[in-house]
Amino acid sequence: MAKEKGRKLIAQNKKARHDYLIIDTYEAGLVLTGTEVKSLRQGRASLVDGFVQLDGNEAWLHNVHVPEYSQGTWTNHSARRKRKLLLHREEIDKLESKSQETGHTIVPLALYFKDGRAKVEIALAKGKKEYDKRQTLREKQDRRETDRAISAVRRKQQA
């Protein structure tokens, strides 16, 4: 079988980008069992309630839902077990020192295969206040309206 190339997205956490201000992102490997990999290859996972917890010198991914493999037997995994993240020591140390600050947390943003290996993109994030969320939505809506207006003018000029 030919080795996979490139990046194949499995799951994305759009809610995290809405609820948090992303400060820094990291790519981490995942320690998975065989049935988890097979379930991920079917494109089934959810990052919505996920978070990263640092215990001593290790990083753990909690509350990420990877459903049981449909053809799995008694060796199947539990859907919401905690999974170990593979990071460099200096990355863990940096994340640990930054996450101790008030209001900072570590959340998963995306789950994907990169050259055949399961990876998760995690972010050091700070929680947004309600008015920050409304401001972000307002800016997004304004950008969308200006883009529509510009494209409408261009269409008229071409006609």
Side-chain angles (χ1 to χ4, degrees):
M1 188 169 138
K3 188 173 179 179
E4 293 180 32
K5 295 287 183 196
R7 180 175 159 154
K8 180 187 170 203
L9 187 65
I10 300 164
Q12 220 174 339
N13 191 354
K14 293 181 182 178
K15 189 176 183 208
R17 293 195 186 272
H18 178 261
D19 291 342
Y20 298 99
L21 175 68
I22 306 301
I23 297 170
D24 202 5
T25 60
Y26 298 90
E27 181 180 69
L30 280 165
V31 177
L32 300 171
T33 63
T35 55
E36 286 176 317
V37 175
K38 290 180 179 223
S39 184
L40 288 176
R41 290 211 185 275
Q42 291 178 339
R44 299 166 47 201
S46 174
L47 299 173
V48 174
D49 297 330
F51 65 95
V52 176
Q53 189 173 31
L54 300 170
D55 293 331
N57 297 327
E58 296 178 337
W60 295 89
L61 185 63
H62 292 268
N63 281 356
V64 171
H65 186 265
V66 177
E68 291 185 351
Y69 183 55
S70 56
Q71 282 87 37
T73 59
W74 57 271
T75 60
N76 233 336
H77 63 280
S78 65
R80 287 200 181 268
R81 75 176 187 90
K82 69 178 190 175
R83 295 163 179 92
K84 187 174 181 180
L85 294 178
L86 303 173
L87 289 163
H88 291 284
R89 166 71 41 229
E90 55 271 4
E91 290 175 332
I92 292 174
D93 293 341
K94 188 184 289 185
L95 280 170
E96 192 166 21
S97 65
K98 294 278 188 175
S99 67
Q100 298 299 326
E101 297 176 19
T102 308
H104 286 79
T105 187
I106 307 167
V107 293
L109 296 179
L111 187 61
Y112 54 91
F113 282 106
K114 182 177 178 184
D115 296 334
R117 300 192 187 276
K119 304 282 185 180
V120 64
E121 182 180 16
I122 60 173
L124 179 67
K126 185 172 183 165
K128 284 185 184 178
K129 303 282 188 230
E130 197 62 39
Y131 58 84
D132 289 334
K133 293 178 192 176
R134 285 194 296 267
Q135 181 66 29
T136 304
L137 285 173
R138 198 172 301 120
E139 289 170 0
K140 186 177 178 181
Q141 188 176 5
D142 291 344
R143 241 182 287 123
R144 190 177 297 140
E145 288 175 5
T146 56
D147 289 343
R148 284 181 185 158
I150 290 170
S151 64
V153 168
R154 286 187 181 154
R155 269 186 264 131
K156 287 182 181 178
Q157 289 175 350
Q158 289 177 354

